[in-house]
Amino acid sequence: MRHARIKDAFVIRCRSKREATNIISYVRQEANSVRIDRMTAELLLEAALADGIENGHPPAPGFIDVMEACSLSQLRPQERDLQALLDHVDPQKEIQNATAALIDTLGHWHLRSVPRLGSIDHTI
């Protein structure tokens, strides 16, 4: 498994909620991401923090700003193994039980078809 870490983080101050929504929609579309609930985002961020620190990669300096803007000050690095993360994001085990043959029948399977963690949006 590739090491997880928080490579980049920043806060964009917007003039309006509409501007913030447009920026987030654009970024989600470009990154081929999906919406996730806050609890899942926190779990993944804590795992990425722990893995990054363990492997000598502190989080991006802007992550402090993101934590403050999104009320994430309670985050703490938490080691989680891949199975624990999969169990949380795929409780029905649809992804975990997929066979290579099944995936192949769904079409050309490549990294762009795997959803990525979307932005945590915090708009006021």
Side-chain angles (χ1 to χ4, degrees), residues 26-55:
Y26 175 77
V27 171
R28 279 195 176 121
Q29 183 178 10
E30 289 298 309
N32 191 30
S33 66
V34 295
R35 286 184 175 265
I36 59 172
D37 63 57
R38 183 178 178 94
M39 192 169 109
T40 299
E42 290 175 0
L43 181 127
L44 293 170
L45 287 169
E46 288 179 340
L49 281 170
D51 194 61
I53 291 169
E54 181 180 320
N55 290 290

Side-chain angles (χ1 to χ4, degrees), residues 11-16 19-20 23 65 68-69 124:
V11 174
I12 299 172
R13 304 275 180 220
C14 298
R15 288 172 280 203
S16 68
E19 181 184 17
I23 290 170
D65 296 332
E68 289 174 359
I124 299 174

Side-chain angles (χ1 to χ4, degrees), residues 58-115:
F63 188 61
I64 301 289
D65 296 332
V66 171
M67 287 178 68
E68 289 174 359
C70 297
S71 301
L72 295 170
S73 59
Q74 79 287 356
L75 288 182
R76 300 293 180 265
Q78 298 288 327
E79 286 188 36
R80 293 189 169 85
D81 65 3
L82 180 58
Q83 189 61 52
L85 292 172
L86 281 171
D87 289 344
H88 181 80
V89 299
D90 183 30
Q92 281 75 35
K93 302 199 181 304
E94 293 172 18
I95 297 168
Q96 298 174 63
N97 293 334
T99 64
L102 173 62
I103 292 170
D104 192 45
T105 62
L106 297 175
H108 296 85
W109 185 259
H110 51 83
L111 290 178
R112 287 190 55 85
S113 65
V114 177

